Structures are given as structure tokens and as C-alpha cells.
């Protein structure tokens, strides 16, 4: 259940959506992409109803599990999604380069490691240069080096004008975002910059800040 | 619907199958082996000539049903369908793309099965060979279309396999292979007359034995085609862009 929330993802910024599992992060992201059945109310993204035809080539979406074809090679996967999007032919090589998969292009996806598979999924979302990227826990299960590389890529994309909406339950990724949303039980309980959040709560890190906000909310009830 | 998206989808499905040579071998060889077995069982009798054509109707139908329902279900479960529906892919592009790819596969399978039945097992075909292929292909498409339809109502692989006895077996039983339809109780006769597989069996038998003219056979093909279109439309309608 999500109740009456507005999420702002400014152009060219990385907005992190943090919260414990089960707090509604995936549901919120699916709403934005327009694949979530909405019981009541409407969702508006980039000025249009979520999921509308015009939006579908402007938003890139990466689900939590790598949603690519296991029995195709990396390049065959990307070529297919490129064809569906109608993106230019050079796009496949561009996203292979961006995600560091150029060396694995000819490999069948099921022979790749979990981290590489997630990057194939991300590469597919980068096809067609979407304005908004919705990434559901893209760094889960990755080693620290790969995580660092992916976050560098996210910031590069943001600098080129892409807006990113990234969820995570790893609190230490919070400091890498331009803006943070803390979510709990389907509600956004904080919406601030990482510095602002630490400043307001006086907490030393995001995890402590999260706890502090919950504590003050419960005390206020 | 877009031609480009439909064709890239069909191409992608065929590429997936190309990566799986064992499936291709099974698809192509198994129907012929079974037809061969049947011919062997009925050596020195006239039985094979009367049920052989019906067998050609059964294999592409059953195999295409299974392959299609399982691959589409897999697509739902791995999240690729969700990704595609979040992209500008139309539901029709998806379903017709699948139908095209598996229809083509059905054509190859049927070509091998028919050739084997005629030239190796000595099945007599009095009518036109082309017409026989036309019926077999629309029959394979029927399996594909019903498979797409079934996958919409299954959440797991276990469930989708149960649709084989639920949707397919009654059509085989009422199709007139075991007992001619006009010897069945009236109710069953009527139901059998409306099921698509009955018409495929009738048409193939008619072509093989040369008992009816081409127009009669084309009417059967049209009837099966209507079922194919109906199942594809229902399949596309049940394909939800939004899910819970």
C-alpha cells in the first residue's frame, strides 16, 4: 500500500530510495514505470500518465532480478531490445562499452556471473538513451569494486542529463546520491539531501539517521 | 502493432531455439519416430492408412502447444515480459511474433513428419501434397495459439503442463480418431464438431484419401484459422501490462 506520495527526481540527479525490504520500494518503482496495477488514484510521470505509450521509450527500467534472456548472448539480448525500442544501431556497442561488457558480448548470458548478468540488464535499460532510469537495487550482490564502478557510471549518466531513481537497502550507498528518500511501510518519511538529513538528525551516518527519524516519528504519535 | 517489432520478436525466439540444438533435434525427430512406430505396429493391416493422417495432425499440435505455453510462461516468470511491456512493444507484436516463430518451426516439423510418413512408412496421399501442408501448418499454429492462451492462465510450469490434459486430450478423444464422431452420443458428436482439432483430423484424412474436393478442405482450414485468431486475440487481451 502506497499512500499519497510525490517523488521528485530532478533532471541530472541521482535520487536514492532507501528503506527496509517490504517497505514498498519496488511497488513505487513499478508505479513509476507503469507496470503496477494501481487500485485507486493516478500516477503522473514526466507530465504524462505512467505507462502511457509516449513514455515507454523515455524511461529505462531495471528490475531486481536480471530480466534478460538466459539462452541468448549478451549482444543478441541487446540487439533484440534495441529493435523493440527502435534505437539506433550503434547503441548496442555504446551500452556494452558503458557497462564494461564489451569483452563478454559474445557470451551466452547463463554462463555469466550474477553481477555481469545484472549489468546486461542495466545495459538493456540504457538503450535508446532514456531520460529517466528507474533502477531497482542494481548493486545487490555485487562486490565493492563493481559497486563503485556502477555508481561512477550512474554519476556519469547524471552529468549527461539523465535522471536516475535508484533503490537500495544498503544504507552506505546513501551518501552517493544527490537526494535521498527514506521509505517505510509505504510512506516516504524523509526527502532531503544526504548532508541535510545528517544535519537535521545529528546522526553520524544514513543508517543512524533512518533510525532517528523513525524514533522521532513514533514519539510524535 | 508494428511489423518491425513483430519480426524482431519472431527473430529473437528463433535465435533462442537455435541456441538449443537438442530441442531442435527432438522437435524434428520425435514425431517421425512415433509415426514410424505406429506404422510398424499396424504392419500388414489397413489401419495405418486410415489413422496415419490424423497422427500428422496430432504431433505438431501437441508439441507446439507445449513449447509455446512453457516458453511464454518462462518469459512471464523471468521478468523479461515485464521489461518488454514497459517498453513500446505492443501485446500483438509479442503474441504474433511468437506465433510466427513457432508457426515456422511447425512447418519444418510437419515437412519432416509428412515426408517420413509418405516416403518411408508408405502412407498413401491421394490428394494434393500442398493442401496437406496447408492443413498441417494451420494445425501447428492452432497449437501455438492455444499454448499462448493457456500460458495466460498458469502461474507455474506445473500448472501449464496440466493444461495439456485439460485442453488437448478432450480434443483428441472427441476428434474421431478412436471412434468416428457420428457414432458418438449426440451431445459429444456436437461438441466434437465444434472443436478445431476435429476439423484438422477430418481435413488431413480427406486429403490423404481424396474423399473431398479442395473447397471443402479450405473450409476446414478457415474454421481452424478462426480458432487460431480467436485464441490469439484472447491471449493478447489477457496479457496485462499492469500486474499486482
Amino acid at each position: 500500500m502506497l499512500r499519497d506520495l510525490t517523488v521528485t527526481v530532478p533532471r541530472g540527479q541521482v535520487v536514492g530510495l532507501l528503506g527496509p525490504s517490504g517497505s514498498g520500494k519496488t511497488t513505487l518503482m513499478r508505479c513509476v514505470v507503469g507496470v503496477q496495477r494501481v487500485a485507486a488514484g493516478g500516477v503522473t510521470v514526466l507530465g504524462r500518465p505512467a505507462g502511457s505509450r509516449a513514455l515507454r521509450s523515455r524511461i529505462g527500467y531495471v528490475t531486481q532480478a536480471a530480466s534478460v534472456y538466459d539462452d541468448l548472448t549478451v549482444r543478441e539480448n541487446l540487439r533484440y531490445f534495441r529493435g523493440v525500442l527502435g534505437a539506433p544501431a550503434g547503441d548496442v556497442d555504446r551500452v556494452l562499452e558503458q557497462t564494461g561488457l564489451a569483452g563478454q558480448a559474445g557470451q551466452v548470458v547463463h554462463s555469466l556471473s550474477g553481477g555481469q548478468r545484472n549489468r546486461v540488464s542495466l545495459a538493456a535499460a540504457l538503450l535508446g538513451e532514456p531520460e529517466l532510469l528507474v533502477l531497482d537495487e542494481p548493486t545487490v550482490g555485487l562486490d565493492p569494486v563493481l559497486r563503485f564502478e556502477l555508481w561512477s557510471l550512474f554519476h556519469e549518466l547524471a552529468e549527461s542529463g539523465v535522471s536516475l531513481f535508484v533503490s537500495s537497502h544498503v544504507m552506505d550507498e546513501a551518501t552517493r546520491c544527490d537526494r535521498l528518500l527514506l521509505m517505510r511501510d509505504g510512506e516516504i518519511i524523509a526527502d532531503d539531501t544526504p548532508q541535510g538529513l545528517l544535519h537535521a538528525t545529528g546522526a553520524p551516518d544514513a543508517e543512524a539517521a533512518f533510525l532517528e527519524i523513525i524514533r522521532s516519528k513514533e514519539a510524535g504519535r | 502493432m508494428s511489423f518491425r517489432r513483430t519480426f524482431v520478436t519472431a527473430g529473437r525466439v528463433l535465435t533462442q531455439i537455435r541456441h538449443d540444438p537438442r530441442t531442435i533435434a527432438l522437435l524434428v525427430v520425435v514425431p517421425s519416430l512415433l509415426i514410424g512406430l505406429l506404422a510398424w505396429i499396424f504392419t500388414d493391416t489397413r489401419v495405418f492408412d486410415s489413422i496415419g493422417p490424423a497422427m500428422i495432425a496430432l504431433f505438431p499440435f501437441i508439441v507446439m502447444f507445449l513449447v509455446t505455453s512453457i516458453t511464454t510462461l518462462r518469459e512471464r516468470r523471468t521478468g523479461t515480459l515485464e521489461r518488454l511491456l514497459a517498453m513500446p512493444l505492443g501485446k500483438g507484436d509479442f503474441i504474433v511474433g511468437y506465433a510466427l516463430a513457432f508457426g515456422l518451426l511447425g512447418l519444418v516439423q510437419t515437412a519432416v513428419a509428412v515426408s517420413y510418413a509418405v516416403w518411408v512408412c508408405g502412407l498413401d496421399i491421394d490428394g494434393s501434397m500442398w493442401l496437406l501442408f496447408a492443413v498441417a501448418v494451420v494445425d501447428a499454429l492452432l497449437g501455438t495459439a492455444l499454448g499462448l492462451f493457456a500460458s495466460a492462465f498458469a502461474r507455474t510450469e506445473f500448472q501449464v503442463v496440466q493444461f495439456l490434459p485439460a485442453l488437448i486430450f478432450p480434443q483428441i478423444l472427441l476428434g474421431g480418431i478412436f471412434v468416428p464422431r457420428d457414432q458418438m452420443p449426440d451431445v459429444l458428436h456436437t461438441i466434437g464438431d465444434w472443436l478445431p482439432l476435429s476439423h484438422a483430423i477430418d481435413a488431413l484424412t480427406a486429403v490423404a484419401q481424396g474423399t473431398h474436393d479442395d473447397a471443402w478442405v479450405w473450409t476446414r482450414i478457415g474454421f481452424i484459422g478462426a480458432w487460431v485468431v480467436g485464441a490469439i486475440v484472447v491471449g493478447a487481451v489477457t496479457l496485462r501490462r499492469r500486474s499486482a
Side-chain angles (χ1 to χ4, degrees), chain A residues 166-186:
Chain A
V166 185
S167 77
S168 177
H169 65 257
V170 187
M171 291 295 171
D172 66 356
E173 293 192 327
T175 48
R176 295 179 171 137
C177 301
D178 298 313
R179 247 195 125 68
L180 277 184
L181 303 173
L182 296 187
M183 194 167 194
R184 190 170 188 251
D185 294 335

Side-chain angles (χ1 to χ4, degrees), chain A residues 173-221:
Chain A
E173 293 192 327
T175 48
R176 295 179 171 137
C177 301
D178 298 313
R179 247 195 125 68
L180 277 184
L181 303 173
L182 296 187
M183 194 167 194
R184 190 170 188 251
D185 294 335
E187 271 181 288
I188 302 281
I189 55 172
D191 179 356
D192 207 340
T193 59
Q195 294 76 16
L197 196 68
L198 296 183
H199 190 76
T201 53
D205 54 43
E207 183 138 10
F210 189 62
L211 289 172
E212 184 54 41
I213 289 167
I214 293 169
R215 212 170 287 142
S216 64
K217 272 229 158 196
E218 268 161 16
R221 255 174 211 169

Side-chain angles (χ1 to χ4, degrees), chain B residues 30-98:
Chain B
V30 170
S32 299
L33 285 180
L34 289 172
I35 288 173
L37 178 65
L38 206 71
W40 194 10
I41 293 173
F42 293 111
T43 326
D44 304 328
T45 69
R46 297 288 302 157
V47 179
F48 183 63
D49 272 333
S50 63
I51 65 167
M55 290 300 124
I56 293 173
L58 283 190
F59 296 125
F61 177 64
I62 293 176
V63 171
M64 287 303 140
F65 175 85
L66 270 182
V67 173
T68 313
S69 55
I70 289 174
T71 38
T72 5
L73 186 75
R74 204 170 58 176
E75 186 119 37
R76 280 172 207 273
R77 281 165 65 80
T78 55
T80 45
L81 182 64
E82 179 160 304
R83 178 194 283 273
L84 288 174
L85 292 178
M87 284 182 171
L89 185 84
K91 297 189 244 175
D93 301 336
F94 180 81
I95 299 241
V96 177
Y98 259 94

Side-chain angles (χ1 to χ4, degrees), chain A residues 30 69 76 83-84 121, chain B residues 4-5 19 75 82-83 242:
Chain A
R30 288 173 45 109
Y69 298 99
E76 284 165 348
V84 170
S121 200
Chain B
R4 178 175 50 86
R5 296 196 178 107
H19 277 288
E75 186 119 37
E82 179 160 304
R83 178 194 283 273
R242 293 165 186 277

